[in-house]
Amino acid sequence: MERTGPPARFTGVMAAFSAALLAAGGLTALAPSAAAADTDLARNGGFESGLDGWSCTGGSGAAVGTPAHSGTSALKATPAGADNAKCSQVVTVQPDSAYTLSAWVQGSYVYLGAEGTGTTDVSAWTQSSTDWKQLTTTFKTGPSTTRVTVYTHGWFGTPAYYADDLSLFGPGGAPAELPAAPTGLKAGTATASSVDLSWTGSTGATGYNVYRGDTQVLSVTGTSATVTGLTAATAYSFQVAATNSAGESARSAAVTATTTAGGGGGGGGLPAHALVGYLHSSFANGSGYTRMADVPDSWDVIDLAFGEPTSVTSGDIRFSLCPATECPNVESAAEFKAAIKAKQAAGKKVLISIGGQNGQVQLTTTAARDTFVSSVSKIIDEYGLDGLDIDFEGHSLSLNTGDTDFRNPTTPVVVNLISAVKSLKAKYGDKFVLTMAPETFFVQLGHQYYGSGPWGGQDPRAGAYLPVIHALRDDLTLLHVQDYNSGSIMGLDNQYHSMGGADFHIAMTDMLLTGFPVAGDRTKVFPALRPEQVAIGMPASTQAGNGHTSPAEVTKALNCLTKKTDCGSYATHGTWPALRGLMTWSINWDRFNNGEFSKNFDAYFGG
């Protein structure tokens, strides 16, 4: 959140990926013809059966009718962000045997290769081909190799490529057999939004698909999984199937589990549709100071901006009212506290917001974590507040190199923040209201980039809020991402969306309510939040922040998300009438703008 008038920054600038390619490519010359006794071992190499037998990273692949090298279908795969659109297939082979891999391709920087050969993995590529071109390479398997992976892929930042008539000629291996269905499926710990599952593995299985009802929700390699994104106090049925190169087994016997009733992750005593606003309590800017008693009744959650640390790494958070020299009409501390009680008596929630643009908080040590808990508790107790808003921006959160799984973070500033908030929730109980206001850079950008990335060089702050949100989802009352001061972000449609109109809010919110693969990895899916946990963050006026959205466009966004009307070109993955509401920076700027934002909210939801 910005203290001062129109900000012109994007919180983080993504370190660009280099477009430089390998100095030398694989073989491109045609290899000798395969021996007559050899057979084509590739399954569905002409993509006439869609993607049967193939797996494409990040959902990047599709079977299309045009162009096709032969037959009626070909592969189209589209690189996006850190995903090079790799489509692969595991093939059963014989040890110590020679193979010829070939495919027809079209596009820029298209690769064909084989890995796991047991000798030297090989690839061939073409720099640019506007017409169909054949790539061929050969390899020999190792003395114990029985399976290899053949693949195609493009390159980062390039358009879609096409592939067709992929073949692998050589001696066939013993055909893989479908594994038996897993047994012993059991449900373990259940929370308000997750259930732990475990089962006995199947001989010959290389992975397992987890089903909730008839919907596949996870693919894992081990014999346990945690299904998340569930609704509190709800019964679910689960099954598991084993997989290998031959396909998927029958499903296991079903097990039923019921999620718990939940606590602070629920509504937190909020109305069905809530309006959240930040109140400039500790500073002044061009919007003017607003006394707590003068906050209009439209506002359901009032976030006091801001509690800030004594130093970046101290964890010692302090809050005080704006000095009279800066805010001549500031009320006394006693008047401020009395006004808070009056708001609460009227059903409003008043929270301390920690951070903001200037309040960098890095809990690098457990000592800082403990100081954070004690100092925030002191503020909550002194002013009689309902809870905490986390508005960490700038360099407060970033991921250490090697911290690549949002489900199991290892970076101290992330781990300590999660621990600190859990301690506060445990201290104040189920009535504790917890909200978060991250920027898109720290959340939705994680769909493309997470931390410093598999090769390094990315901004380590990318997606850094995801482990915090995920670990605290059962305690989270509201997530209201700042859909402003943002660069263009890729949505679930693999298109970039820019702030300022309904489309941006629709695409960004759809990601939160649908879930998304992190860094394009479909084995690491950030689960959907419940609609009552989500509000949309917007500037209250053109002076409040870049990305102001007109009332008409706000209404379109709400119509699309709650009624599936006015969606424009973006197709949402659901309809969420229980979407909690809107957040804005700020109450002060809305009053400065004659209440345009809050009046539009009240008119829409009948406030």
Side-chain angles (χ1 to χ4, degrees):
M1 305 294 180
E2 303 284 347
R3 280 177 174 265
T4 54
R9 64 168 178 82
F10 175 33
T11 309
V13 178
M14 196 65 224
F17 279 107
S18 170
L21 296 172
L22 298 174
L27 300 174
T28 55
L30 296 180
S33 299
D38 291 343
T39 57
D40 184 2
L41 306 178
R43 174 181 170 186
N44 188 30
F47 301 95
E48 301 300 315
S49 299
L51 295 182
D52 180 43
W54 294 92
S55 175
C56 296
T57 57
S60 57
V64 296
T66 304
H69 177 256
S70 69
T72 60
S73 190
L75 168 70
K76 177 183 179 181
T78 307
D83 180 18
N84 63 4
K86 182 178 182 180
C87 295
S88 61
Q89 178 180 142
V90 178
V91 182
T92 303
V93 294
Q94 290 187 13
D96 286 320
S97 301
Y99 292 88
T100 299
L101 174 65
S102 180
W104 290 86
V105 301
Q106 187 178 136
S108 300
Y109 301 111
V110 190
Y111 287 71
L112 170 72
E115 57 191 10
T117 63
T119 55
T120 301
D121 292 349
V122 296
S123 67
W125 65 283
T126 178
Q127 181 172 344
S128 179
S129 179
T130 57
D131 201 355
W132 288 105
K133 178 177 182 178
Q134 189 178 35
L135 298 177
T136 303
T137 186
T138 61
F139 62 89
K140 184 179 180 180
T141 54
S144 60
T145 301
T146 58
R147 290 186 300 178
V148 299
T149 299
V150 297
Y151 64 85
T152 63
H153 71 69
W155 199 252
F156 312 107
T158 60
Y161 71 87
Y162 299 88
D164 200 2
D165 296 330
L166 185 145
S167 62
L168 179 67
F169 279 96
E177 296 183 358
L178 280 176
T183 58
L185 178 62
K186 296 179 181 179
T189 302
T191 70
S193 62
S194 67
V195 172
D196 291 339
L197 300 173
S198 62
W199 57 90
T200 301
S202 302
T203 302
T206 58
Y208 299 90
N209 293 334
V210 180
Y211 289 85
R212 185 189 65 219
D214 289 327
T215 302
Q216 182 183 329
V217 291
L218 287 173
S219 292
V220 298
T221 56
T223 55
S224 64
T226 299
V227 181
T228 58
L230 306 178
T231 300
T234 302
Y236 291 93
S237 177
F238 301 100
Q239 290 175 288
V240 179
T243 62
N244 63 13
S245 59
E248 183 181 88
S249 74
R251 298 182 195 176
S252 68
V255 65
T256 300
T258 301
T259 52
T260 61
L270 301 181
H273 300 293
L275 182 61
V276 182
Y278 287 79
L279 183 67
H280 310 176
S281 301
S282 62
F283 63 94
N285 64 8
S287 63
Y289 183 82
T290 296
R291 295 162 66 99
M292 175 63 72
D294 296 331
V295 173
D297 290 339
S298 297
W299 303 96
D300 300 297
V301 179
I302 303 165
D303 291 323
L304 306 182
F306 289 105
E308 298 181 0
T310 55
S311 69
V312 172
T313 59
S314 70
D316 189 2
I317 307 300
R318 304 294 177 90
F319 172 77
S320 60
L321 290 175
C322 184
T325 54
E326 188 177 341
C327 304
N329 60 325
V330 65
E331 67 268 63
S332 68
E335 291 171 328
F336 185 73
K337 293 173 183 178
I340 289 174
K341 289 183 178 180
K343 291 295 180 185
Q344 292 168 329
K348 313 302 181 184
K349 303 297 181 182
V350 184
L351 315 180
I352 180 62
S353 180
I354 307 298
Q357 179 187 358
N358 296 339
Q360 304 295 296
V361 182
Q362 297 174 0
L363 304 182
T364 56
T365 64
T366 55
R369 175 200 66 191
D370 296 342
T371 301
F372 181 89
V373 172
S374 61
S375 60
V376 171
S377 297
K378 184 177 180 181
I379 296 169
I380 291 173
D381 295 342
E382 180 179 354
Y383 292 92
L385 305 179
D386 296 288
L388 169 67
D389 173 69
I390 302 173
D391 185 17
F392 284 15
E393 300 182 18
H395 290 269
S396 291
L397 289 180
S398 63
L399 297 164
N400 290 350
T401 301
D403 191 347
T404 60
D405 189 345
F406 74 94
R407 300 164 300 185
N408 298 288
T410 57
T411 304
V413 296
V414 171
V415 173
N416 289 334
L417 176 61
I418 293 168
S419 176
V421 175
K422 284 187 173 292
S423 294
L424 288 166
K425 173 64 191 302
K427 177 176 180 177
Y428 292 103
D430 289 346
K431 293 183 178 180
F432 185 76
V433 178
L434 174 64
T435 65
M436 299 182 193
E439 294 158 298
T440 56
F441 189 90
F442 295 91
V443 183
Q444 287 94 338
L445 186 67
H447 178 38
Q448 286 183 273
Y449 310 106
Y450 187 70
S452 57
W455 306 283
Q458 294 177 191
D459 191 318
R461 298 172 296 169
Y465 244 96
L466 293 177
V468 179
I469 299 167
H470 185 65
L472 296 170
R473 62 174 56 236
D474 288 346
D475 302 310
L476 181 64
T477 308
L478 270 181
L479 175 72
H480 31 65
V481 175
Q482 301 177 37
D483 284 2
Y484 49 94
N485 298 339
S486 171
S488 296
I489 303 291
M490 180 177 285
L492 294 178
D493 57 353
N494 290 326
Q495 302 298 314
Y496 285 94
H497 300 267
S498 300
M499 62 182 181
D503 173 77
F504 190 64
H505 302 299
I506 293 166
M508 295 301 99
T509 307
D510 183 58
M511 292 179 74
L512 301 177
L513 297 174
T514 303
F516 54 87
V518 175
D521 187 344
R522 292 196 171 273
T523 68
K524 297 175 181 177
V525 175
F526 178 79
L529 293 166
R530 303 191 308 276
E532 62 269 23
Q533 288 181 293
V534 176
I536 309 171
M538 307 177 181
S541 68
T542 55
Q543 302 97 327
N546 292 325
H548 174 255
T549 307
S550 70
E553 290 294 297
V554 174
T555 296
K556 285 182 183 179
L558 291 172
N559 281 343
C560 178
L561 293 164
T562 65
K563 303 173 184 177
K564 218 174 182 66
T565 61
D566 285 340
C567 290
S569 61
Y570 187 91
T572 62
H573 293 75
T575 306
W576 303 279
L579 179 73
R580 182 65 73 177
L582 301 179
M583 173 276 280
T584 194
W585 178 260
S586 61
I587 294 171
N588 304 62
W589 280 116
D590 186 51
R591 292 194 78 197
F592 185 85
N593 199 38
N594 299 313
E596 179 186 80
F597 190 89
S598 55
K599 288 175 183 177
N600 188 57
F601 177 90
D602 289 344
Y604 190 89
F605 288 112

